[in-house]
Amino acid sequence: MTENASKFDASALLSSRANAADEGAIIRLSQRTREMRTKGHDVVSLSLGEPDFDTPENIRDAAKQAMDKGLTHYAPVAGIPELREALAEKLRVENKLDYKPANIVLANGTKQAINNALLALIEPGDEAIIMAPYWVAYEASMKFAGGKCVFVTASVAENYKPPIERIAAAITPATKLIFLNSPSNPTGAVWTRKELEALAELVRKHPKLMVLSDEIYEYILFEGENVSFGSLPGMLERTITLNGFSKGFAMTGWRLGYAAAPLPVAVAMGRMQSIVSAGANSFVQHAAVAALKGHRDDVEMMRKAYQKRRDMVLAGLKAIPGVTIGPIPGTFYAFPDVSSFLGKKAGNHVIDTTDQLCDWLLEEQGVTVVPGTAFGSPASIRLSFAASEADIEKALERLKKGLLALS
Ligand SMILES: Cc1ncc(COP(=O)(O)O)c(C=O)c1O
């Protein structure tokens, strides 16, 4: 390097967008977990938001066959026709949503589908209501699109679902979207038909409002029913339905998600995606057709395994005095309120926040869980039970020992 080049500081060139994007607590804790394991520490992690199962064999086979047939070229931006048709059929039969293939836009992951929707709809100053606790990417993507997040918080005692009046009170003339995520990451909450009908009633009163309904955990349901928001009377035109293959089919690394939306929004989302990337991975899309049309034995096997682990986690958390946890009807997350432990001492230092609590649990007790601050809810921590039963048992023991050691 020349002398001039060595004085060059590329960080000074970074955009405010890049500087504002925080890597987040989950990535920080995962890195620290890896570092500690490399140094020989025994750490059990319940921090990951992804299935610990491999992708089912029939889906892997379909991807291999697609590659062998030469289906490795650019796909159309909105997705291959076979998959858009299969998804229209799935949404009609399983979700009572009457979308045409033209309403459906495939993306490189549901995350990208969310960003496509926000880039297509959000002007600077536009507001979106995000119900807290929320999946952290909603906030990040809204900021990235230049919009403003308005948070409406619900507590564990409310099963993390805010009453409709609280949502209504947050609506302003600038509100364009409401984020809805049922079943929910990080809480495992599922909205009932009655609750969704009340939300639909509210949406009817506001003619410029749309709902972004993220249904990615629909197949990981233990109790109750999944009701797609767009299936309620008059709501199809007011909804962007988001879903993907990562969770239910254990396909996180394949990067395939989709949005279904009123035609003008779907077309605009395709345009956004054509700027940022292009059509989603072609042979993955062919594998996704097989996932939708093939047997669902593995999906059901995984659901049952999560349900058994959910029961273990609920029992383990309820056995810790001071921890508050409600029902977990879906997903592979538990989000207990641990605020009764804040302000207590570990040795001679006080633990005031769930961030400090999670750092201490990792460093001193060898268990990784994620602070609720990452999800807009500082009173709680998130445990993922997409982990083996042995790991869950060990983690619960460590958590209990750690929390009860605080005084
Ligand atoms: C609520 C929710 N929506 C969307 C996603 C993103 O999924 P994908 O892997 O399809 O981008 C996640 C992943 O953690 C999630 O928890």
Side-chain angles (χ1 to χ4, degrees):
M1 242 188 234
T2 67
E3 199 185 323
N4 272 349
S6 68
K7 279 186 193 154
F8 177 73
D9 176 13
S11 67
L13 266 59
L14 293 179
S15 66
S16 51
R17 193 185 306 111
N19 285 322
D22 181 12
E23 68 172 9
I26 304 181
I27 291 177
R28 182 173 55 76
L29 283 159
S30 305
Q31 271 167 1
R32 184 69 192 131
T33 302
R34 255 193 309 275
E35 273 167 35
M36 287 180 63
R37 282 181 177 154
T38 313
K39 287 184 190 152
H41 295 278
D42 165 28
V43 181
V44 194
S45 176
L46 297 191
S47 68
L48 278 189
E50 70 165 327
D52 54 322
F53 296 99
D54 289 330
T55 306
E57 193 174 6
N58 63 316
I59 303 174
R60 300 198 310 261
D61 284 346
K64 290 176 204 165
Q65 281 163 20
M67 279 188 263
D68 289 344
K69 279 193 214 153
L71 299 170
T72 54
H73 299 270
Y74 282 130
V77 171
I80 60 170
E82 301 91 304
L83 182 55
R84 293 171 89 193
E85 272 156 31
L87 281 169
E89 170 83 359
K90 173 248 183 282
L91 292 167
R92 191 174 54 75
V93 174
E94 295 179 16
N95 306 87
K96 315 274 179 289
L97 295 169
D98 192 16
Y99 289 114
K100 305 268 180 296
N103 296 106
I104 297 167
V105 183
L106 275 299
N108 300 287
T110 311
K111 215 172 189 179
Q112 187 175 37
I114 293 169
N115 282 292
N116 287 340
L118 298 182
L119 292 173
L121 289 168
I122 295 297
E123 290 284 9
D126 282 349
E127 295 177 6
I129 294 181
I130 300 181
M131 297 183 228
Y134 53 86
W135 181 47
V136 64
Y138 297 152
E139 182 183 6
S141 296
M142 263 303 282
K143 284 186 183 159
F144 196 70
K148 183 178 163 210
C149 304
V150 175
F151 300 105
V152 175
T153 304
S155 67
V156 67
E158 295 168 319
N159 291 330
Y160 295 118
K161 292 179 277 185
I164 292 301
E165 310 78 69
R166 205 176 294 154
I167 301 172
I171 296 178
T172 76
T175 312
K176 210 173 221 179
L177 287 173
I178 297 179
F179 281 79
L180 174 70
N181 177 213
S182 176
S184 153
N185 173 14
T187 67
V190 174
W191 285 60
T192 63
R193 181 178 291 277
K194 211 166 153 232
E195 288 160 345
L196 292 174
E197 279 168 354
L199 185 63
E201 198 51 50
L202 177 65
V203 171
R204 276 184 211 111
K205 290 186 196 146
H206 295 274
K208 288 188 181 160
L209 192 58
M210 288 191 83
V211 168
L212 228 144
S213 178
D214 181 346
E215 304 177 9
I216 194 168
Y217 291 97
E218 67 170 336
Y219 293 146
I220 308 174
L221 182 77
F222 315 124
E223 279 102 30
E225 58 166 343
N226 273 317
V227 177
S228 287
F229 188 75
S231 71
L232 299 179
M235 287 302 110
L236 195 70
E237 283 302 308
R238 308 294 298 275
T239 307
I240 299 162
T241 304
L242 294 154
N243 208 328
F245 293 81
S246 287
K247 314 288 175 170
F249 293 104
M251 292 174 67
T252 47
W254 299 60
R255 309 310 304 130
L256 192 65
Y258 57 94
L263 201 58
V265 180
V267 170
M269 282 193 288
R271 284 205 299 268
M272 297 302 103
Q273 177 158 296
S274 73
I275 292 171
V276 174
S277 58
N281 186 322
S282 51
F283 48 86
V284 168
Q285 293 195 53
H286 287 279
V289 174
L292 291 171
K293 294 195 168 167
H295 69 81
R296 299 279 176 92
D297 300 354
D298 296 294
V299 172
E300 180 56 9
M301 175 279 290
M302 292 188 272
R303 191 194 65 81
K304 283 197 176 126
Y306 296 134
Q307 183 160 0
K308 190 162 174 230
R309 299 167 186 181
R310 186 276 312 257
D311 294 343
M312 284 176 68
V313 168
L314 270 183
L317 290 172
K318 284 181 179 165
I320 310 175
V323 169
T324 313
I325 180 81
I328 307 175
T331 74
F332 39 65
Y333 305 109
F335 201 61
D337 183 309
V338 294
S339 53
S340 71
F341 297 93
L342 302 180
K344 290 193 174 188
K345 274 187 173 173
N348 51 15
H349 84 269
V350 181
I351 292 189
D352 280 322
T353 64
T354 40
D355 288 86
Q356 291 166 357
L357 180 67
C358 291
D359 285 345
W360 178 77
L361 285 167
L362 172 56
E363 301 292 333
E364 301 298 327
Q365 306 295 329
V367 57
T368 317
V369 292
V370 185
T373 39
F375 309 96
S377 184
S380 302
I381 54 175
R382 191 190 76 174
L383 285 65
S384 158
F385 44 91
S388 70
E389 288 178 26
D391 274 2
I392 292 171
E393 211 167 298
K394 219 190 282 179
L396 286 168
E397 271 167 28
R398 293 179 185 187
L399 184 67
K400 183 174 184 182
K401 184 168 156 275
L403 291 176
L404 297 184
L406 299 173
S407 57

